[in-house]
Amino acid sequence: MSRRESRTRPGPSGPQAGKYPVRFGTAELQRDWDRDNAWLLSVDGVAQSYVDLDDPGHLEFDYVRRMGDVVDSLPPGPVEALHVGGGACTLPRYIAFTKPGSRQLVFDADDRLVELVREELELRSVAALKVRVCDGRDGVATRRDHSADLLVVDAYQRAEMPGGLATAEFLRDTARVLRPSGTLLVNISDGQGLKFAKRVMATVAAVYPHALLLADPGVLRGRRFGNLVLAASKHELPVETVARRAASAVFPARCVSGSELEKLFGRAEIFTDETPVVTPLPPDNALGL
């Protein structure tokens, strides 16, 4: 079978909508006809990334916009960023656009998906961005101490976050790689009761003294499945600035930090490499990540 399984818009140049076999399933590229050059990337029916090739400052997914709110609240100037999980590299494109001069490295385990994004979604045009095909945890382990300003964990295989990215051992390694003023960003998906998310919060809090959580109020109350963005640092975070940005969004999000965050995760048990990590799956009617 050829790399391209099928396509619906044949042509000699530009992205081609269609289905493509990748390592962890079948990827699909769909054009957004409401925008001139915007594309949705899904894997096995689960939405993974949305990119506007003409406007990298446009963040369609709410949770990615929340990550953008944190990035926008960092000190001005370029950053050294690591990304565990690539997809269509929406956030790296955004950082390259909003913080020119930034140097970024993406770790992604799906070699065929990386190839697809390079060929169809103009990944090579993103300045100072490199992609390394490897397990994200192994990739982080190769980085020098205090070498990154930003470390983003947004890795999913189909609809599941690899459990090894939620443990205290891995999070301690992220803290080793980040500079004292560096920021960790984690995309978590969870539903009723937030049992998994609360354990991730507790694990992050055991490693990082400062943290904040951004989520839609319905997701935060555990009323529906969705995404939560957790930011953490060894240094104080710009909580008020992030909260203002999130509250003024088209779809507002709540910002929880300090004692309120501690109350939210309560006595949740931390994840370790010795304890099994079972990540929650979205219900059948969920729209994806």
Side-chain angles (χ1 to χ4, degrees):
M1 179 184 294
S2 65
R3 189 181 64 82
R4 177 173 291 130
E5 184 176 275
S6 67
R7 69 185 191 189
T8 59
R9 288 181 56 80
S13 62
Q16 302 298 307
K19 294 184 178 180
Y20 302 77
V22 294
R23 179 180 176 187
F24 297 114
T26 299
E28 183 173 10
L29 279 180
Q30 296 173 286
R31 185 168 185 171
D32 181 354
W33 294 103
D34 291 329
R35 300 180 71 88
D36 288 341
N37 199 13
W39 298 84
L40 174 67
L41 172 66
S42 303
V43 176
D44 287 351
V46 179
Q48 298 286 342
S49 302
Y50 178 105
V51 293
D52 187 328
L53 299 181
D54 292 339
D55 181 10
H58 175 72
L59 301 178
E60 180 77 8
F61 290 175
D62 290 344
Y63 89 88
V64 184
R65 180 61 266 172
R66 302 290 75 80
M67 286 185 162
D69 290 338
V70 176
V71 170
D72 292 345
S73 301
L74 298 177
V79 295
E80 299 269 353
L82 297 178
H83 302 261
V84 176
C89 291
T90 306
L91 194 65
R93 295 171 196 261
Y94 181 80
I95 291 171
F97 177 70
T98 60
K99 289 183 170 292
S102 295
R103 296 195 299 179
Q104 302 183 81
L105 175 61
V106 173
F107 301 117
D108 198 297
D110 195 325
D111 55 342
R112 302 186 80 181
L113 185 63
V114 170
E115 180 189 359
L116 168 64
V117 174
R118 280 177 176 153
E119 290 192 4
E120 300 291 340
L121 295 178
E122 303 177 6
L123 189 60
R124 293 183 179 90
S125 68
V126 183
L129 173 64
K130 296 181 180 180
V131 180
R132 182 180 300 172
V133 177
C134 71
D135 174 82
R137 184 162 171 172
D138 291 344
V140 170
T142 67
R143 308 311 293 171
R144 302 188 314 276
D145 293 1
H146 305 153
S147 59
D149 302 299
L150 179 67
L151 201 160
V152 181
V153 180
D154 186 11
Y156 282 79
Q157 294 174 5
R158 298 183 177 92
E160 293 185 82
M161 177 183 180
L165 301 180
T167 68
E169 290 84 352
F170 171 65
L171 289 167
R172 282 196 288 268
D173 205 30
T174 67
R176 174 189 64 79
V177 171
L178 283 169
R179 296 183 174 117
S181 60
T183 301
L184 174 74
L185 275 176
V186 184
N187 172 34
I188 311 165
S189 59
D190 205 354
Q192 187 175 6
L194 299 179
K195 291 183 179 179
F196 173 73
K198 288 177 181 178
R199 292 191 67 181
V200 176
M201 295 176 215
T203 309
V204 169
V207 176
Y208 290 90
H210 304 281
L212 64 81
L213 184 75
L214 295 165
D216 171 275
V219 175
L220 193 59
R221 297 187 184 103
R223 293 178 179 173
R224 66 176 184 85
F225 196 95
N227 296 85
L228 307 96
V229 171
L230 186 62
S233 179
K234 292 168 275 189
H235 187 270
E236 286 191 20
L237 291 162
V239 175
E240 292 183 4
T241 302
V242 173
R244 283 197 304 271
R245 289 180 179 274
S248 63
V250 175
F251 298 101
R254 278 201 61 202
C255 180
V256 179
S257 63
S259 60
E260 187 179 7
L261 181 61
E262 293 175 2
K263 183 178 179 181
L264 178 62
F265 64 76
R267 297 183 179 180
E269 183 180 358
I270 69 170
F271 287 122
T272 70
D273 286 345
E274 283 70 45
T275 57
V277 180
V278 179
T279 59
L281 290 171
D284 292 339
N285 63 347
L287 294 177
L289 300 174

